[in-house]
mmCIF file with all atom_site columns, all heavy atoms in Angstrom:
data_model
loop_
_atom_site.group_PDB
_atom_site.id
_atom_site.type_symbol
_atom_site.label_atom_id
_atom_site.label_alt_id
_atom_site.label_comp_id
_atom_site.label_asym_id
_atom_site.label_entity_id
_atom_site.label_seq_id
_atom_site.pdbx_PDB_ins_code
_atom_site.Cartn_x
_atom_site.Cartn_y
_atom_site.Cartn_z
_atom_site.occupancy
_atom_site.B_iso_or_equiv
_atom_site.pdbx_formal_charge
_atom_site.auth_seq_id
_atom_site.auth_comp_id
_atom_site.auth_asym_id
_atom_site.auth_atom_id
_atom_site.pdbx_PDB_model_num
ATOM 1   N N   . GLN A 1 129 ? 31.428 25.354 -19.275 1.00 96.00 ? 145 GLN A N   1
ATOM 2   C CA  . GLN A 1 129 ? 31.865 24.250 -18.425 1.00 96.00 ? 145 GLN A CA  1
ATOM 3   C C   . GLN A 1 129 ? 32.130 24.783 -17.053 1.00 96.00 ? 145 GLN A C   1
ATOM 4   O O   . GLN A 1 129 ? 31.361 25.530 -16.488 1.00 96.00 ? 145 GLN A O   1
ATOM 5   C CB  . GLN A 1 129 ? 33.079 23.541 -19.056 1.00 96.00 ? 145 GLN A CB  1
ATOM 6   C CG  . GLN A 1 129 ? 32.803 22.753 -20.288 1.00 96.00 ? 145 GLN A CG  1
ATOM 7   C CD  . GLN A 1 129 ? 34.041 22.058 -20.835 1.00 96.00 ? 145 GLN A CD  1
ATOM 8   O OE1 . GLN A 1 129 ? 35.114 22.604 -20.795 1.00 96.00 ? 145 GLN A OE1 1
ATOM 9   N NE2 . GLN A 1 129 ? 33.914 20.877 -21.366 1.00 96.00 ? 145 GLN A NE2 1
ATOM 10  N N   . ASP A 1 130 ? 33.381 24.535 -16.521 1.00 94.00 ? 146 ASP A N   1
ATOM 11  C CA  . ASP A 1 130 ? 33.703 25.017 -15.203 1.00 94.00 ? 146 ASP A CA  1
ATOM 12  C C   . ASP A 1 130 ? 34.612 26.238 -15.293 1.00 94.00 ? 146 ASP A C   1
ATOM 13  O O   . ASP A 1 130 ? 35.326 26.564 -14.311 1.00 94.00 ? 146 ASP A O   1
ATOM 14  C CB  . ASP A 1 130 ? 34.349 23.922 -14.358 1.00 94.00 ? 146 ASP A CB  1
ATOM 15  C CG  . ASP A 1 130 ? 35.637 23.366 -14.987 1.00 94.00 ? 146 ASP A CG  1
ATOM 16  O OD1 . ASP A 1 130 ? 35.911 23.736 -16.155 1.00 94.00 ? 146 ASP A OD1 1
ATOM 17  O OD2 . ASP A 1 130 ? 36.291 22.564 -14.386 1.00 94.00 ? 146 ASP A OD2 1
ATOM 18  N N   . GLY A 1 131 ? 34.612 26.867 -16.442 1.00 97.00 ? 147 GLY A N   1
ATOM 19  C CA  . GLY A 1 131 ? 35.422 28.126 -16.589 1.00 97.00 ? 147 GLY A CA  1
ATOM 20  C C   . GLY A 1 131 ? 36.728 27.922 -17.389 1.00 97.00 ? 147 GLY A C   1
ATOM 21  O O   . GLY A 1 131 ? 37.132 26.768 -17.571 1.00 97.00 ? 147 GLY A O   1
ATOM 22  N N   . VAL A 1 132 ? 37.262 29.017 -17.860 1.00 98.00 ? 148 VAL A N   1
ATOM 23  C CA  . VAL A 1 132 ? 38.492 28.971 -18.616 1.00 98.00 ? 148 VAL A CA  1
ATOM 24  C C   . VAL A 1 132 ? 39.455 30.034 -18.065 1.00 98.00 ? 148 VAL A C   1
ATOM 25  O O   . VAL A 1 132 ? 39.056 31.157 -17.866 1.00 98.00 ? 148 VAL A O   1
ATOM 26  C CB  . VAL A 1 132 ? 38.280 29.131 -20.167 1.00 98.00 ? 148 VAL A CB  1
ATOM 27  C CG1 . VAL A 1 132 ? 37.497 30.402 -20.445 1.00 98.00 ? 148 VAL A CG1 1
ATOM 28  C CG2 . VAL A 1 132 ? 39.557 29.055 -20.937 1.00 98.00 ? 148 VAL A CG2 1
ATOM 29  N N   . TRP A 1 133 ? 40.705 29.663 -17.805 1.00 98.00 ? 149 TRP A N   1
ATOM 30  C CA  . TRP A 1 133 ? 41.682 30.611 -17.349 1.00 98.00 ? 149 TRP A CA  1
ATOM 31  C C   . TRP A 1 133 ? 42.262 31.413 -18.515 1.00 98.00 ? 149 TRP A C   1
ATOM 32  O O   . TRP A 1 133 ? 42.736 30.826 -19.519 1.00 98.00 ? 149 TRP A O   1
ATOM 33  C CB  . TRP A 1 133 ? 42.833 29.882 -16.611 1.00 98.00 ? 149 TRP A CB  1
ATOM 34  C CG  . TRP A 1 133 ? 42.387 29.257 -15.328 1.00 98.00 ? 149 TRP A CG  1
ATOM 35  C CD1 . TRP A 1 133 ? 42.018 27.959 -15.104 1.00 98.00 ? 149 TRP A CD1 1
ATOM 36  C CD2 . TRP A 1 133 ? 42.340 29.922 -14.052 1.00 98.00 ? 149 TRP A CD2 1
ATOM 37  N NE1 . TRP A 1 133 ? 41.706 27.778 -13.771 1.00 98.00 ? 149 TRP A NE1 1
ATOM 38  C CE2 . TRP A 1 133 ? 41.899 28.941 -13.098 1.00 98.00 ? 149 TRP A CE2 1
ATOM 39  C CE3 . TRP A 1 133 ? 42.682 31.221 -13.593 1.00 98.00 ? 149 TRP A CE3 1
ATOM 40  C CZ2 . TRP A 1 133 ? 41.740 29.246 -11.732 1.00 98.00 ? 149 TRP A CZ2 1
ATOM 41  C CZ3 . TRP A 1 133 ? 42.543 31.505 -12.240 1.00 98.00 ? 149 TRP A CZ3 1
ATOM 42  C CH2 . TRP A 1 133 ? 42.077 30.520 -11.338 1.00 98.00 ? 149 TRP A CH2 1
ATOM 43  N N   . ILE A 1 134 ? 42.253 32.715 -18.385 1.00 98.00 ? 150 ILE A N   1
ATOM 44  C CA  . ILE A 1 134 ? 42.780 33.596 -19.469 1.00 98.00 ? 150 ILE A CA  1
ATOM 45  C C   . ILE A 1 134 ? 43.655 34.667 -18.814 1.00 98.00 ? 150 ILE A C   1
ATOM 46  O O   . ILE A 1 134 ? 43.326 35.241 -17.766 1.00 98.00 ? 150 ILE A O   1
ATOM 47  C CB  . ILE A 1 134 ? 41.694 34.250 -20.271 1.00 98.00 ? 150 ILE A CB  1
ATOM 48  C CG1 . ILE A 1 134 ? 40.756 33.183 -20.855 1.00 98.00 ? 150 ILE A CG1 1
ATOM 49  C CG2 . ILE A 1 134 ? 42.202 35.103 -21.402 1.00 98.00 ? 150 ILE A CG2 1
ATOM 50  C CD1 . ILE A 1 134 ? 39.549 33.727 -21.639 1.00 98.00 ? 150 ILE A CD1 1
ATOM 51  N N   . SER A 1 135 ? 44.777 34.971 -19.459 1.00 98.00 ? 151 SER A N   1
ATOM 52  C CA  . SER A 1 135 ? 45.770 35.920 -18.932 1.00 98.00 ? 151 SER A CA  1
ATOM 53  C C   . SER A 1 135 ? 45.203 37.357 -18.973 1.00 98.00 ? 151 SER A C   1
ATOM 54  O O   . SER A 1 135 ? 44.392 37.722 -19.827 1.00 98.00 ? 151 SER A O   1
ATOM 55  C CB  . SER A 1 135 ? 47.009 35.797 -19.770 1.00 98.00 ? 151 SER A CB  1
ATOM 56  O OG  . SER A 1 135 ? 47.882 36.937 -19.538 1.00 98.00 ? 151 SER A OG  1
ATOM 57  N N   . GLU A 1 136 ? 45.709 38.180 -18.116 1.00 98.00 ? 152 GLU A N   1
ATOM 58  C CA  . GLU A 1 136 ? 45.436 39.605 -18.109 1.00 98.00 ? 152 GLU A CA  1
ATOM 59  C C   . GLU A 1 136 ? 45.853 40.239 -19.424 1.00 98.00 ? 152 GLU A C   1
ATOM 60  O O   . GLU A 1 136 ? 45.399 41.376 -19.669 1.00 98.00 ? 152 GLU A O   1
ATOM 61  C CB  . GLU A 1 136 ? 46.056 40.295 -16.895 1.00 98.00 ? 152 GLU A CB  1
ATOM 62  C CG  . GLU A 1 136 ? 47.576 40.252 -16.929 1.00 98.00 ? 152 GLU A CG  1
ATOM 63  C CD  . GLU A 1 136 ? 48.175 40.912 -15.683 1.00 98.00 ? 152 GLU A CD  1
ATOM 64  O OE1 . GLU A 1 136 ? 47.778 42.029 -15.390 1.00 98.00 ? 152 GLU A OE1 1
ATOM 65  O OE2 . GLU A 1 136 ? 49.102 40.297 -15.068 1.00 98.00 ? 152 GLU A OE2 1
ATOM 66  N N   . LEU A 1 137 ? 46.700 39.605 -20.231 1.00 98.00 ? 153 LEU A N   1
ATOM 67  C CA  . LEU A 1 137 ? 47.123 40.189 -21.501 1.00 98.00 ? 153 LEU A CA  1
ATOM 68  C C   . LEU A 1 137 ? 46.025 40.208 -22.545 1.00 98.00 ? 153 LEU A C   1
ATOM 69  O O   . LEU A 1 137 ? 46.172 40.852 -23.599 1.00 98.00 ? 153 LEU A O   1
ATOM 70  C CB  . LEU A 1 137 ? 48.357 39.460 -22.005 1.00 98.00 ? 153 LEU A CB  1
ATOM 71  C CG  . LEU A 1 137 ? 49.679 39.617 -21.258 1.00 98.00 ? 153 LEU A CG  1
ATOM 72  C CD1 . LEU A 1 137 ? 50.745 38.763 -21.891 1.00 98.00 ? 153 LEU A CD1 1
ATOM 73  C CD2 . LEU A 1 137 ? 50.082 41.105 -21.176 1.00 98.00 ? 153 LEU A CD2 1
ATOM 74  N N   . LEU A 1 138 ? 44.949 39.431 -22.276 1.00 98.00 ? 154 LEU A N   1
ATOM 75  C CA  . LEU A 1 138 ? 43.845 39.261 -23.278 1.00 98.00 ? 154 LEU A CA  1
ATOM 76  C C   . LEU A 1 138 ? 42.488 39.658 -22.653 1.00 98.00 ? 154 LEU A C   1
ATOM 77  O O   . LEU A 1 138 ? 41.557 38.855 -22.626 1.00 98.00 ? 154 LEU A O   1
ATOM 78  C CB  . LEU A 1 138 ? 43.844 37.839 -23.818 1.00 98.00 ? 154 LEU A CB  1
ATOM 79  C CG  . LEU A 1 138 ? 45.056 37.332 -24.515 1.00 98.00 ? 154 LEU A CG  1
ATOM 80  C CD1 . LEU A 1 138 ? 45.012 35.812 -24.768 1.00 98.00 ? 154 LEU A CD1 1
ATOM 81  C CD2 . LEU A 1 138 ? 45.313 38.092 -25.784 1.00 98.00 ? 154 LEU A CD2 1
ATOM 82  N N   . PRO A 1 139 ? 42.338 40.910 -22.163 1.00 98.00 ? 155 PRO A N   1
ATOM 83  C CA  . PRO A 1 139 ? 41.052 41.274 -21.536 1.00 98.00 ? 155 PRO A CA  1
ATOM 84  C C   . PRO A 1 139 ? 39.836 41.325 -22.505 1.00 98.00 ? 155 PRO A C   1
ATOM 85  O O   . PRO A 1 139 ? 38.772 40.985 -22.090 1.00 98.00 ? 155 PRO A O   1
ATOM 86  C CB  . PRO A 1 139 ? 41.378 42.672 -20.999 1.00 98.00 ? 155 PRO A CB  1
ATOM 87  C CG  . PRO A 1 139 ? 42.479 43.197 -21.881 1.00 98.00 ? 155 PRO A CG  1
ATOM 88  C CD  . PRO A 1 139 ? 43.292 42.008 -22.199 1.00 98.00 ? 155 PRO A CD  1
ATOM 89  N N   . HIS A 1 140 ? 40.098 41.684 -23.752 1.00 98.00 ? 156 HIS A N   1
ATOM 90  C CA  . HIS A 1 140 ? 38.964 41.700 -24.688 1.00 98.00 ? 156 HIS A CA  1
ATOM 91  C C   . HIS A 1 140 ? 38.563 40.271 -25.084 1.00 98.00 ? 156 HIS A C   1
ATOM 92  O O   . HIS A 1 140 ? 37.399 39.958 -25.123 1.00 98.00 ? 156 HIS A O   1
ATOM 93  C CB  . HIS A 1 140 ? 39.411 42.478 -25.946 1.00 98.00 ? 156 HIS A CB  1
ATOM 94  C CG  . HIS A 1 140 ? 39.533 44.007 -25.695 1.00 98.00 ? 156 HIS A CG  1
ATOM 95  N ND1 . HIS A 1 140 ? 38.473 44.830 -25.610 1.00 98.00 ? 156 HIS A ND1 1
ATOM 96  C CD2 . HIS A 1 140 ? 40.675 44.689 -25.478 1.00 98.00 ? 156 HIS A CD2 1
ATOM 97  C CE1 . HIS A 1 140 ? 38.940 46.067 -25.375 1.00 98.00 ? 156 HIS A CE1 1
ATOM 98  N NE2 . HIS A 1 140 ? 40.270 46.030 -25.335 1.00 98.00 ? 156 HIS A NE2 1
ATOM 99  N N   . THR A 1 141 ? 39.546 39.421 -25.385 1.00 98.00 ? 157 THR A N   1
ATOM 100 C CA  . THR A 1 141 ? 39.229 38.012 -25.761 1.00 98.00 ? 157 THR A CA  1
ATOM 101 C C   . THR A 1 141 ? 38.474 37.326 -24.630 1.00 98.00 ? 157 THR A C   1
ATOM 102 O O   . THR A 1 141 ? 37.603 36.499 -24.861 1.00 98.00 ? 157 THR A O   1
ATOM 103 C CB  . THR A 1 141 ? 40.516 37.285 -26.100 1.00 98.00 ? 157 THR A CB  1
ATOM 104 O OG1 . THR A 1 141 ? 41.237 38.011 -27.121 1.00 98.00 ? 157 THR A OG1 1
ATOM 105 C CG2 . THR A 1 141 ? 40.179 35.886 -26.617 1.00 98.00 ? 157 THR A CG2 1
#
Side-chain angles (χ1 to χ4, degrees):
Q145 289 181 326
D146 59 353
V148 56
W149 291 95
I150 302 177
S151 165
E152 62 182 311
L153 292 178
L154 299 172
H156 292 280
T157 306

